[in-house]
Amino acid sequence: MAGEGDIKLLGMVVSPFVVRVRMALHRKGVSYEYVEQDLFNKSELLLRSNPVNKKVPVLIHGGKPICESLVIVQYADEVWSGKGASIFPADPHERAVARFWAAYVDDKLFPAYIGIMKAATEEARAEKAKEALVVLANLEEAFAQCSKGKPFFAGDSVGYLDLAVGCNLFWLEAIRKMFGVTFFDVGKTPLLAAWAERFAGTEMAREVVPDADTAVVFAKKLQARFGSNTSAK
């Protein structure tokens, strides 16, 4: 990938939000220095770069930090507009729609599947699983509208909304392995199920996305550290 000066990415391998940014940078063909962070022992660089939320990812470009994954993806698409394929749609309405659904994914899908892992009872876990399936049903409809019969949310190739949803796939598989929750049902969400397979098969995803087992190991460490009562399969 092309070098673009002093670029660092502060992240965690198992963070879906970091994976989102790494896929975007890969798609733009931008090289960078990746600096892994410890969730339980945050570095001075991270605390200095993101003093408000103290979270990853943080992209540091020319000494200036940019925080929050969706913001970073947009920044990358604008700053390196001459590199790689465009991530955002050219049409203003399509861009607005993609931003709406990306925000929806972060507001609804991530809390639901993480809630499955954190749930203290089977009843609570079932409720969170139900929430996640409702989100995916809505995304099935969004895919039908946005893709217009093409392979990805953005059409013929991966775009902003594909990255926003796709970065969560390895965690959904990890939750399936741990608790037996099936998220993609070819009977209920056939378009999304087929899209997930296509997305996972892209060169970008194969290069960047970690194996689901990595997320499983991390999740069990969290459970052990915080004394979770959740039981995993």
Side-chain angles (χ1 to χ4, degrees), residues 69-137:
S69 65
L70 293 178
V71 175
I72 296 171
V73 172
Q74 181 171 341
Y75 177 87
D77 202 36
E78 293 174 354
V79 170
W80 296 292
S81 58
K83 298 285 185 182
S86 178
I87 294 173
F88 276 86
D91 180 76
H93 180 261
E94 291 180 0
R95 286 200 302 273
V97 171
R99 287 191 180 103
F100 169 83
W101 284 110
Y104 176 78
V105 168
D106 285 1
D107 289 343
K108 302 296 184 180
L109 181 60
F110 178 76
Y113 72 74
I114 292 300
I116 294 172
M117 183 182 72
K118 292 181 176 180
T121 66
E122 289 296 333
E123 291 77 12
R125 186 173 300 118
E127 184 61 32
K128 286 298 179 181
K130 182 179 178 180
E131 290 178 15
L133 293 175
V134 168
V135 174
L136 293 174

Side-chain angles (χ1 to χ4, degrees), residues 211-227:
D211 187 271
D213 289 339
T214 303
V216 170
V217 170
F218 182 76
K220 289 182 177 179
K221 286 181 179 178
L222 287 180
Q223 291 176 334
R225 186 179 183 93
F226 295 114

Side-chain angles (χ1 to χ4, degrees), residues 10 37 41-51 60:
L10 311 185
Q37 300 294 301
N41 185 24
K42 297 178 181 180
S43 70
E44 286 299 321
L45 180 58
L46 174 60
L47 297 175
R48 184 170 67 250
S49 301
N50 189 0
I60 304 175

Side-chain angles (χ1 to χ4, degrees), residues 94-227:
E94 291 180 0
R95 286 200 302 273
V97 171
R99 287 191 180 103
F100 169 83
W101 284 110
Y104 176 78
V105 168
D106 285 1
D107 289 343
K108 302 296 184 180
L109 181 60
F110 178 76
Y113 72 74
I114 292 300
I116 294 172
M117 183 182 72
K118 292 181 176 180
T121 66
E122 289 296 333
E123 291 77 12
R125 186 173 300 118
E127 184 61 32
K128 286 298 179 181
K130 182 179 178 180
E131 290 178 15
L133 293 175
V134 168
V135 174
L136 293 174
N138 288 334
L139 287 175
E140 173 82 358
E141 295 183 14
F143 183 86
Q145 295 170 4
C146 295
S147 68
K148 300 174 183 175
K150 295 183 177 181
F152 298 98
F153 279 98
D156 290 319
S157 59
V158 169
Y160 182 67
L161 187 51
D162 294 283
L163 296 178
V165 182
C167 68
N168 296 284
L169 294 180
F170 75 104
W171 264 106
L172 294 179
E173 176 61 14
I175 298 297
R176 185 196 67 78
K177 288 186 173 186
M178 294 177 71
F179 301 107
V181 179
T182 299
F183 294 98
F184 297 108
D185 186 330
V186 293
K188 296 179 180 179
T189 55
L191 297 177
L192 210 57
W195 164 83
E197 288 190 13
R198 284 193 297 272
F199 185 89
T202 62
E203 188 272 338
M204 172 195 64
R206 294 196 309 269
E207 184 73 21
V208 174
V209 179
D211 187 271
D213 289 339
T214 303
V216 170
V217 170
F218 182 76
K220 289 182 177 179
K221 286 181 179 178
L222 287 180
Q223 291 176 334
R225 186 179 183 93
F226 295 114

